[in-house]
Amino acid sequence: MTTPLSPAPPLNPWRLNPWGLGASLYTPATRPDLLALGSGRYPSLTSLIYCTEDSVLEADLPLALANLARTLPLLPPPGTGPLRLIRARNPHVLARLLTLDLRGISGFVLPKIHAENLEAYLGVLAASDWPQMPVLLTLETPEALSEAQMTRLRDLILDGGHGPRVAALRIGGNDLMHALGVRRKPGRTLYEGPLERVISMLVGVFKPHGFALSSPVYEVFGDLSTLARELEQDLEYGLCGKTIIHPAQLDTVLDAYRVSESDLLEAQAILAPDAPAVFQMNGRMCEPATHTRWASDITCRARLYGVLETQRHEALHF
């Protein structure tokens, strides 16, 4: 049987586990039901993003900000209900949001980030009463199509000491498609179109340096089979967290993040303090020196989302 999983550590409001994002439901901040959404309307929802950017017309921005000002003081503390984040429209709006009651908020989503505007956002955050608030940076401008530009952004984050604050990098699929002048074709995953090269590049630029990346939405919310197939590919690329735009997509995402019993057993064997340098399990080689990061992700997913099946497997040393 699987070794029992230790309980998750208490939530630190200044730490945001990117695997905890799970399914991230976007909702315009103009909606009248922000409190219900943030307090558990969908009990299995893992994260909720109140949006003041693309989903809100410029003329409706005052309504969105007033709506948030009324709602935020009523939210339960972090750890109750979904993770709650706010997507700021621009640095000016971020400054206004930072004057609100943010005790129930776990981070900010910063849109359309590139090397030229990062410091404007982080400067506003540093000058506020919430300087340690985690951020998710969204890569969705034409710069995100350039490896040179993304390398520059990565180095700016690292050289400026901002790495610990960046909980994850979000890949903005629809905006990147817009930059290319195309639209997602129903029935085809991200990896069967022009963004496959972009995702591969972003993974290569950021993941080896400790950054987590999350995956864009599949906007055809009535097509759950393609969504499930895309989630399988997301995991092969090491992406964690999936944006959703409709509650109908929620269970498909959470099911995809559950792990198989065989993967969990391998992960636990790899992470064991007395693990040999190399061993065979379930017909494949396990090598702690090269598989530890994978194993850590598997055990984290198992703790958060559960295990798919129960089987017994034995480890054989080479």
Side-chain angles (χ1 to χ4, degrees):
M1 295 183 63
T2 310
T3 303
L5 294 167
S6 59
L11 181 66
N12 180 340
W14 305 122
R15 296 286 182 185
L16 198 163
N17 178 356
W19 281 111
L21 293 169
S24 297
L25 178 64
Y26 261 79
T27 186
T30 50
R31 285 182 57 130
D33 56 351
L34 298 187
L35 179 60
L37 290 169
S39 302
R41 169 176 288 177
Y42 303 108
S44 60
L45 182 64
T46 43
S47 57
L48 176 70
I49 300 175
Y50 297 129
C51 183
T52 68
E53 204 228 358
D54 284 349
S55 67
V56 175
L57 293 173
E58 183 73 34
D60 292 334
L61 182 59
L63 170 62
L65 295 174
N67 204 18
L68 285 169
R70 286 190 299 269
T71 301
L72 296 184
L74 305 177
L75 290 173
T80 303
L83 282 171
R84 294 172 293 270
L85 304 100
I86 304 176
R87 185 178 189 179
R89 191 181 191 93
N90 52 47
H92 175 69
V93 170
L94 176 61
R96 296 173 66 180
L97 292 169
L98 285 163
T99 66
L100 303 180
D101 185 343
L102 300 176
R103 290 174 296 172
I105 297 298
S106 294
F108 282 103
V109 177
L110 307 183
K112 298 177 173 58
I113 293 298
H114 49 80
E116 301 300 332
N117 65 5
L118 176 67
E119 291 294 344
Y121 279 102
L122 296 185
V124 168
L125 195 60
S128 75
D129 292 333
W130 305 87
Q132 301 302 315
M133 186 72 80
V135 294
L136 279 66
L137 309 182
T138 309
L139 309 177
E140 55 187 345
T141 65
E143 288 85 352
L145 303 173
S146 163
E147 183 171 355
Q149 288 293 330
M150 290 298 95
T151 300
R152 181 181 173 211
L153 175 63
R154 180 200 68 200
D155 293 344
L156 184 64
I157 295 169
L158 294 175
D159 293 345
H162 306 304
R165 177 182 293 167
V166 177
L169 301 164
R170 299 189 60 262
I171 301 173
N174 281 336
D175 281 87
L176 292 177
M177 292 272 191
H178 173 66
L180 296 172
V182 297
R183 188 180 184 189
R184 178 89 80 97
K185 184 176 177 63
R188 294 174 65 84
T189 73
L190 282 170
Y191 307 91
E192 297 161 357
L195 288 191
E196 190 280 333
R197 183 199 66 82
V198 178
I199 294 172
S200 296
M201 177 269 290
L202 293 174
V203 168
V205 168
F206 288 103
K207 284 276 287 183
H209 296 267
F211 292 96
L213 291 96
S214 69
S215 178
V217 69
Y218 178 47
E219 63 194 62
V220 188
F221 52 80
D223 179 8
L224 298 181
S225 61
T226 300
L227 174 61
R229 194 159 56 86
E230 180 166 294
L231 283 156
E232 183 177 357
Q233 294 170 323
D234 285 344
L235 291 171
E236 290 179 2
Y237 279 69
L239 304 188
C240 59
K242 185 72 168 176
T243 301
I244 64 174
I245 54 172
H246 195 285
Q249 298 174 309
L250 176 58
D251 288 344
T252 302
V253 175
L254 299 185
D255 285 346
Y257 288 152
R258 296 167 68 195
V259 305
S260 69
E261 177 79 3
S262 60
D263 276 353
L264 181 57
L265 286 167
E266 288 183 35
Q268 291 175 332
I270 289 166
L271 295 173
D274 59 349
V278 62
F279 59 95
Q280 183 266 117
M281 192 170 184
N282 301 324
R284 61 179 177 175
M285 182 186 76
C286 297
E287 187 177 42
T290 58
H291 296 145
T292 299
R293 288 184 66 183
W294 170 86
S296 296
D297 285 347
I298 289 293
T299 57
C300 182
R301 282 170 52 197
R303 182 179 292 113
L304 291 170
Y305 304 109
V307 181
L308 286 168
E309 55 188 291
T310 301
Q311 300 175 11
R312 287 190 67 89
H313 300 271
E314 298 297 331
L316 300 177
H317 296 176
F318 282 149

